[in-house]
Amino acid sequence: MHDIKIITADFDDPAVQQLVAENLRDLSERYGGSGDDSPISGADFTPPQGAFLVAVLDDQLIGSAGWRRRGNDAELKRMFTTKAARGRGVARRMLTRIEDSAREAGCNRVILETGDRQPEAIALYESAGYARIDDFGYYKDYPDVLSYAKSL
């Protein structure tokens, strides 16, 4: 795991967009449709409004996570680890770095939406101290959405 680097990336970079497309395919397999229709743009992840991070191993992108400002909170978006990299602690490291970045930017909490067909994500968030909150955001009225928050 020590060879894995987590770095800031440009959300609009073509290599990052390939990883985001893989993320959306994974979500589509779980939920159908496009995977996620939440409106997102590269500007959402441009400081001081947010940040986008990628995990890199041997010059390959193996994970991503970003946060965008939502009032005094940081909303976690596009948290993903490639299938080949799962089980190596990449997601936990990404989550920690997102929390650090959001804290440094003055955010009070990290908030997120996930779905009930992502048990590994739910387990990660709950083990990292996230607690259920009222649903918010694009999918707030969907029956399979689960929203979480963690104070920073």
Side-chain angles (χ1 to χ4, degrees), residues 34-35 48 144:
S34 71
D144 54 358

Side-chain angles (χ1 to χ4, degrees), residues 59-122:
D59 296 323
Q60 297 294 313
L61 300 185
I62 61 168
S64 67
W67 69 268
R68 63 183 179 182
R69 196 170 295 276
R70 189 177 183 94
N72 291 324
D73 294 329
E75 181 184 9
L76 179 68
K77 297 302 293 178
R78 298 296 178 253
M79 179 80 169
F80 178 69
T81 303
T82 62
K83 288 179 183 176
R86 292 180 185 161
R88 301 167 98 176
V90 175
R92 189 167 300 277
R93 287 182 57 198
M94 293 292 296
L95 188 58
T96 299
R97 290 287 300 275
I98 287 291
E99 292 169 356
D100 291 345
S101 174
R103 185 181 302 107
E104 290 166 9
C107 295
N108 296 331
R109 303 183 302 170
V110 173
I111 59 174
L112 64 95
E113 292 177 304
T114 191
D116 62 3
R117 296 178 196 155
Q118 294 170 265
E120 69 284 6
I122 294 165

Side-chain angles (χ1 to χ4, degrees), residues 25-77:
R25 282 190 299 275
D26 181 74
L27 291 171
S28 178
E29 290 171 9
R30 296 173 195 248
Y31 299 99
S34 71
D36 186 351
D37 292 325
S38 298
I40 291 178
S41 75
D44 292 338
F45 305 110
T46 302
Q49 297 299 44
F52 200 81
L53 307 175
V54 293
V56 183
L57 176 64
D58 298 329
D59 296 323
Q60 297 294 313
L61 300 185
I62 61 168
S64 67
W67 69 268
R68 63 183 179 182
R69 196 170 295 276
R70 189 177 183 94
N72 291 324
D73 294 329
E75 181 184 9
L76 179 68
K77 297 302 293 178

